[in-house]
Amino acid sequence: MSFLKDESNGYIQHKNINGYDFTVMYRPTDLLVEQELENSNDNKQVKQLREQYGEYLYFNLSISKNNKELLSSIPKDLSQFSGLVNQLTFEMDSKVCLLNLQKDTIQLLDFVYPRLYGMSNSTTMMFIYQKEIRKMNTEYLIFSLKDFGLSTGRQQFKFKTNNILNQPKINFSKNN
């Protein structure tokens, strides 16, 4: 995780726009595998999980204001709160897209917004895309976020395709 959080490695990007902190992180397959293993290093299970998760691209988008979740820092009334909850829960598929340099859209399969009820310092969502980049012949993928009422404009984050195709792997062997 410390390797991924080092911006110079190309797996995470940060921006601060009008007091909002945006972070987009590409989540390599082995990070998801490790979370699923539950302290087991069974080689068969590792291989199975790598195959399962390896077909997709995973990006986390985190947004905060004043080091708080959006729902804890923005809404001024119940109507604004309800509108933001609805957007985060049901409408982010129309606010976020993944593009190649030719502006072709990579299919979004799903997104997940877990409500943490003020227990986190940011609102974090995971976006899952079809892994079609080998066919695209593109140097970068662009994670694009439309403004959804924050007055921050469209934000774009570029990730090198080569980093994603050659993502780091965790050594799951039992040799400790």
Side-chain angles (χ1 to χ4, degrees):
M1 188 57 91
S2 59
F3 176 81
L4 297 174
K5 287 184 176 182
D6 181 344
E7 220 169 320
S8 67
N9 293 321
Y11 293 95
I12 191 167
Q13 295 180 30
H14 305 281
K15 289 184 181 182
N16 184 295
I17 311 294
N18 295 336
Y20 292 95
D21 292 310
F22 294 86
T23 301
V24 177
M25 174 189 237
Y26 173 73
R27 302 201 38 108
T29 300
D30 274 9
L31 191 60
L32 296 156
V33 170
E34 191 220 11
Q35 291 172 332
E36 189 92 15
L37 283 176
E38 300 176 9
N39 298 324
S40 166
N41 290 337
D42 177 15
N43 288 336
K44 184 178 178 184
Q45 188 179 16
V46 168
K47 182 180 180 200
Q48 176 187 4
L49 290 170
R50 279 180 171 161
E51 289 173 5
Q52 176 184 336
Y53 290 118
E55 295 181 34
Y56 308 103
L57 301 171
Y58 303 88
F59 288 88
N60 274 11
L61 167 66
S62 297
I63 308 171
S64 67
K65 182 162 181 127
N66 300 322
N67 211 28
K68 293 181 182 177
E69 294 179 57
L70 294 179
L71 292 173
S72 298
S73 59
I74 295 178
K76 295 176 180 22
D77 58 36
L78 184 58
S79 172
Q80 191 178 19
F81 181 87
S82 297
L84 186 56
V85 167
N86 192 54
Q87 279 194 78
L88 294 171
T89 307
F90 302 111
E91 299 173 10
M92 291 306 289
D93 58 340
S94 66
K95 307 296 181 190
V96 173
C97 62
L98 190 64
L99 311 163
N100 66 13
L101 288 177
Q102 295 76 32
K103 305 291 186 208
D104 296 323
T105 303
I106 297 172
Q107 182 183 359
L108 174 68
L109 298 175
D110 202 1
F111 72 96
V112 180
Y113 164 61
R115 287 277 311 268
L116 297 177
Y117 302 95
M119 301 296 287
S120 178
N121 60 358
S122 67
T123 298
T124 301
M125 296 160 272
M126 178 182 274
F127 294 86
I128 305 153
Y129 295 91
Q130 191 67 46
K131 194 174 194 176
E132 302 170 342
I133 55 178
R134 290 189 196 282
K135 300 179 225 171
M136 289 190 173
N137 194 25
T138 186
E139 187 177 353
Y140 289 95
L141 294 178
I142 302 163
F143 186 93
S144 181
L145 171 65
K146 293 180 188 174
D147 186 24
F148 59 97
L150 305 180
S151 299
T152 56
R154 179 183 295 271
Q155 298 304 313
Q156 295 190 331
F157 303 82
K158 285 173 66 174
F159 292 86
K160 287 185 177 180
T161 306
N162 195 41
N163 283 355
I164 294 170
L165 292 173
N166 300 301
Q167 60 190 282
K169 295 201 181 292
I170 295 173
N171 181 359
F172 291 108
S173 69
K174 295 180 181 181
N175 302 333
N176 292 337

